[in-house]
Short mmCIF file of all heavy atoms in Angstrom, two decimals:
data_model
loop_
_atom_site.label_atom_id
_atom_site.label_comp_id
_atom_site.label_asym_id
_atom_site.label_seq_id
_atom_site.Cartn_x
_atom_site.Cartn_y
_atom_site.Cartn_z
N PHE A 1 49.17 16.16 -29.87
CA PHE A 1 50.63 16.23 -29.78
C PHE A 1 51.22 15.21 -28.81
O PHE A 1 52.40 15.28 -28.48
CB PHE A 1 51.06 17.64 -29.39
CG PHE A 1 50.69 18.67 -30.41
CD1 PHE A 1 49.58 19.49 -30.23
CD2 PHE A 1 51.43 18.82 -31.57
CE1 PHE A 1 49.23 20.43 -31.17
CE2 PHE A 1 51.08 19.77 -32.52
CZ PHE A 1 49.97 20.58 -32.32
N SER A 2 50.38 14.27 -28.36
CA SER A 2 50.91 13.18 -27.55
C SER A 2 51.64 12.20 -28.46
O SER A 2 51.55 12.28 -29.69
CB SER A 2 49.77 12.47 -26.82
OG SER A 2 48.92 11.82 -27.75
N ALA A 3 52.35 11.26 -27.87
CA ALA A 3 53.07 10.28 -28.68
C ALA A 3 52.12 9.49 -29.57
O ALA A 3 52.40 9.24 -30.75
CB ALA A 3 53.85 9.33 -27.76
N GLN A 4 50.96 9.12 -28.99
CA GLN A 4 49.99 8.36 -29.76
C GLN A 4 49.37 9.22 -30.87
O GLN A 4 49.19 8.75 -32.00
CB GLN A 4 48.87 7.83 -28.86
CG GLN A 4 49.33 6.82 -27.81
CD GLN A 4 49.88 7.48 -26.57
OE1 GLN A 4 50.07 8.71 -26.52
NE2 GLN A 4 50.14 6.66 -25.55
N GLY A 5 49.07 10.48 -30.56
CA GLY A 5 48.46 11.36 -31.55
C GLY A 5 49.40 11.65 -32.71
O GLY A 5 48.99 11.60 -33.88
N LEU A 6 50.66 11.96 -32.40
CA LEU A 6 51.63 12.23 -33.46
C LEU A 6 51.90 10.99 -34.31
O LEU A 6 52.06 11.08 -35.54
CB LEU A 6 52.94 12.73 -32.85
CG LEU A 6 52.88 14.13 -32.20
CD1 LEU A 6 54.19 14.45 -31.51
CD2 LEU A 6 52.54 15.19 -33.24
N SER A 7 51.92 9.83 -33.67
CA SER A 7 52.13 8.58 -34.42
C SER A 7 50.97 8.33 -35.38
O SER A 7 51.17 7.90 -36.53
CB SER A 7 52.28 7.41 -33.45
OG SER A 7 53.41 7.57 -32.62
N ALA A 8 49.74 8.59 -34.89
CA ALA A 8 48.57 8.38 -35.73
C ALA A 8 48.58 9.33 -36.93
O ALA A 8 48.29 8.94 -38.06
CB ALA A 8 47.29 8.58 -34.93
N LEU A 9 48.93 10.60 -36.68
CA LEU A 9 49.01 11.58 -37.76
C LEU A 9 50.07 11.19 -38.78
O LEU A 9 49.85 11.29 -40.00
CB LEU A 9 49.29 12.97 -37.21
CG LEU A 9 48.10 13.75 -36.64
CD1 LEU A 9 48.59 15.01 -35.94
CD2 LEU A 9 47.12 14.10 -37.74
N LEU A 10 51.22 10.77 -38.28
CA LEU A 10 52.31 10.37 -39.18
C LEU A 10 51.89 9.17 -40.03
O LEU A 10 52.20 9.10 -41.22
CB LEU A 10 53.55 10.04 -38.35
CG LEU A 10 54.85 9.79 -39.15
CD1 LEU A 10 55.23 11.04 -39.93
CD2 LEU A 10 55.97 9.39 -38.19
N LEU A 11 51.17 8.24 -39.41
CA LEU A 11 50.70 7.06 -40.14
C LEU A 11 49.72 7.46 -41.24
O LEU A 11 49.79 6.94 -42.37
CB LEU A 11 50.05 6.08 -39.16
CG LEU A 11 49.57 4.75 -39.75
CD1 LEU A 11 50.77 3.97 -40.29
CD2 LEU A 11 48.83 3.93 -38.69
N VAL A 12 48.82 8.40 -40.92
CA VAL A 12 47.84 8.85 -41.92
C VAL A 12 48.55 9.57 -43.07
O VAL A 12 48.25 9.34 -44.25
CB VAL A 12 46.80 9.78 -41.27
CG1 VAL A 12 45.94 10.47 -42.33
CG2 VAL A 12 45.92 9.01 -40.30
N ILE A 13 49.50 10.44 -42.72
CA ILE A 13 50.23 11.21 -43.75
C ILE A 13 51.00 10.30 -44.69
O ILE A 13 50.91 10.43 -45.91
CB ILE A 13 51.17 12.23 -43.07
CG1 ILE A 13 50.35 13.31 -42.35
CG2 ILE A 13 52.11 12.86 -44.09
CD1 ILE A 13 51.17 14.21 -41.46
N LEU A 14 51.77 9.38 -44.12
CA LEU A 14 52.56 8.47 -44.96
C LEU A 14 51.68 7.46 -45.68
O LEU A 14 51.93 7.12 -46.84
CB LEU A 14 53.59 7.75 -44.09
CG LEU A 14 54.66 8.63 -43.45
CD1 LEU A 14 55.59 7.79 -42.57
CD2 LEU A 14 55.47 9.37 -44.51
N GLY A 15 50.63 6.99 -44.98
CA GLY A 15 49.73 6.01 -45.60
C GLY A 15 48.97 6.60 -46.78
O GLY A 15 48.81 5.94 -47.80
N ALA A 16 48.51 7.84 -46.64
CA ALA A 16 47.79 8.49 -47.73
C ALA A 16 48.69 8.69 -48.93
O ALA A 16 48.29 8.47 -50.08
CB ALA A 16 47.24 9.83 -47.26
N PHE A 17 49.93 9.07 -48.68
CA PHE A 17 50.89 9.26 -49.78
C PHE A 17 51.18 7.93 -50.48
O PHE A 17 51.12 7.84 -51.72
CB PHE A 17 52.19 9.86 -49.25
CG PHE A 17 53.27 10.01 -50.29
CD1 PHE A 17 53.25 11.08 -51.17
CD2 PHE A 17 54.29 9.07 -50.40
CE1 PHE A 17 54.22 11.22 -52.15
CE2 PHE A 17 55.27 9.21 -51.36
CZ PHE A 17 55.24 10.29 -52.24
N GLY A 18 51.46 6.89 -49.69
CA GLY A 18 51.75 5.59 -50.28
C GLY A 18 50.56 5.03 -51.06
O GLY A 18 50.73 4.47 -52.14
N GLY A 19 49.35 5.21 -50.50
CA GLY A 19 48.16 4.72 -51.19
C GLY A 19 47.92 5.44 -52.50
O GLY A 19 47.57 4.83 -53.51
N ALA A 20 48.11 6.77 -52.50
CA ALA A 20 47.90 7.55 -53.72
C ALA A 20 48.91 7.15 -54.79
O ALA A 20 48.55 7.01 -55.97
CB ALA A 20 48.03 9.04 -53.40
N VAL A 21 50.16 6.95 -54.40
CA VAL A 21 51.18 6.54 -55.36
C VAL A 21 50.87 5.16 -55.93
O VAL A 21 50.99 4.92 -57.14
CB VAL A 21 52.58 6.54 -54.71
CG1 VAL A 21 53.61 5.92 -55.64
CG2 VAL A 21 52.98 7.96 -54.33
N TYR A 22 50.43 4.25 -55.06
CA TYR A 22 50.12 2.90 -55.52
C TYR A 22 48.98 2.91 -56.53
O TYR A 22 49.05 2.25 -57.58
CB TYR A 22 49.75 2.00 -54.34
CG TYR A 22 49.20 0.66 -54.77
CD1 TYR A 22 50.03 -0.34 -55.24
CD2 TYR A 22 47.82 0.43 -54.73
CE1 TYR A 22 49.52 -1.56 -55.66
CE2 TYR A 22 47.30 -0.79 -55.16
CZ TYR A 22 48.15 -1.77 -55.62
OH TYR A 22 47.64 -2.98 -56.05
N VAL A 23 47.92 3.65 -56.23
CA VAL A 23 46.76 3.70 -57.13
C VAL A 23 47.16 4.28 -58.47
O VAL A 23 46.81 3.75 -59.54
CB VAL A 23 45.62 4.51 -56.51
CG1 VAL A 23 44.51 4.75 -57.52
CG2 VAL A 23 45.05 3.80 -55.29
N ALA A 24 47.92 5.39 -58.44
CA ALA A 24 48.29 6.07 -59.68
C ALA A 24 49.28 5.26 -60.51
O ALA A 24 49.20 5.25 -61.74
CB ALA A 24 48.88 7.44 -59.37
N GLN A 25 50.21 4.56 -59.86
CA GLN A 25 51.27 3.87 -60.58
C GLN A 25 50.98 2.41 -60.86
O GLN A 25 51.48 1.86 -61.85
CB GLN A 25 52.58 3.97 -59.79
CG GLN A 25 53.07 5.39 -59.58
CD GLN A 25 53.49 6.05 -60.88
OE1 GLN A 25 54.02 5.42 -61.78
NE2 GLN A 25 53.27 7.35 -60.99
N GLU A 26 50.19 1.77 -60.02
CA GLU A 26 49.99 0.33 -60.17
C GLU A 26 48.52 -0.04 -60.42
O GLU A 26 48.21 -0.71 -61.41
CB GLU A 26 50.49 -0.40 -58.92
CG GLU A 26 51.95 -0.16 -58.60
CD GLU A 26 52.88 -0.72 -59.67
OE1 GLU A 26 52.47 -1.66 -60.37
OE2 GLU A 26 54.01 -0.21 -59.81
N ALA A 27 47.63 0.41 -59.55
CA ALA A 27 46.23 -0.03 -59.64
C ALA A 27 45.58 0.40 -60.94
O ALA A 27 44.80 -0.34 -61.54
CB ALA A 27 45.44 0.51 -58.44
N PHE A 28 45.87 1.63 -61.41
CA PHE A 28 45.25 2.12 -62.64
C PHE A 28 45.65 1.31 -63.86
O PHE A 28 44.98 1.36 -64.89
CB PHE A 28 45.62 3.59 -62.86
CG PHE A 28 44.74 4.55 -62.10
CD1 PHE A 28 45.03 5.90 -62.09
CD2 PHE A 28 43.64 4.11 -61.39
CE1 PHE A 28 44.23 6.80 -61.39
CE2 PHE A 28 42.83 4.98 -60.69
CZ PHE A 28 43.13 6.33 -60.69
N ARG A 29 46.75 0.59 -63.77
CA ARG A 29 47.21 -0.19 -64.92
C ARG A 29 46.62 -1.59 -64.95
O ARG A 29 46.93 -2.38 -65.84
CB ARG A 29 48.74 -0.24 -64.92
CG ARG A 29 49.37 1.09 -65.33
CD ARG A 29 50.83 1.16 -64.98
NE ARG A 29 51.49 2.32 -65.57
CZ ARG A 29 51.31 3.58 -65.20
NH1 ARG A 29 50.47 3.86 -64.22
NH2 ARG A 29 51.94 4.58 -65.80
N SER A 30 45.79 -1.91 -63.97
CA SER A 30 45.15 -3.22 -63.94
C SER A 30 43.84 -3.18 -64.71
O SER A 30 43.19 -2.15 -64.81
CB SER A 30 44.88 -3.65 -62.49
OG SER A 30 43.91 -2.81 -61.89
N GLY A 31 43.46 -4.32 -65.26
CA GLY A 31 42.23 -4.38 -66.04
C GLY A 31 40.99 -4.10 -65.21
O GLY A 31 39.99 -3.60 -65.73
N GLN A 32 41.05 -4.41 -63.93
CA GLN A 32 39.88 -4.22 -63.07
C GLN A 32 39.53 -2.75 -62.90
O GLN A 32 38.37 -2.40 -62.65
CB GLN A 32 40.13 -4.84 -61.68
CG GLN A 32 40.26 -6.35 -61.68
CD GLN A 32 41.64 -6.82 -62.04
OE1 GLN A 32 42.51 -6.02 -62.39
NE2 GLN A 32 41.88 -8.12 -61.97
N MET A 33 40.52 -1.87 -63.03
CA MET A 33 40.27 -0.44 -62.80
C MET A 33 39.77 0.26 -64.06
O MET A 33 39.28 1.39 -63.99
CB MET A 33 41.54 0.24 -62.32
CG MET A 33 41.86 0.00 -60.86
SD MET A 33 40.61 0.70 -59.75
CE MET A 33 40.82 2.47 -60.09
N ALA A 34 39.89 -0.36 -65.22
CA ALA A 34 39.52 0.29 -66.47
C ALA A 34 38.05 0.71 -66.47
O ALA A 34 37.71 1.84 -66.85
CB ALA A 34 39.81 -0.63 -67.66
#
């Protein structure tokens, strides 16, 4: 719950969401992922 700890958690939460959306919406449509 320190400033650094909360920042790290927030980064993981937002990063995981953004990464999942990117893979599902963009990466899966590339030929390399087929």
Side-chain angles (χ1 to χ4, degrees):
F1 297 101
S2 66
Q4 296 83 353
L6 291 174
S7 298
L9 279 172
L10 188 61
L11 184 63
V12 170
I13 292 170
L14 296 178
F17 176 80
V21 171
Y22 170 76
V23 171
Q25 298 293 326
E26 302 295 335
F28 276 174
R29 286 164 170 72
S30 67
Q32 294 83 355
M33 282 296 295

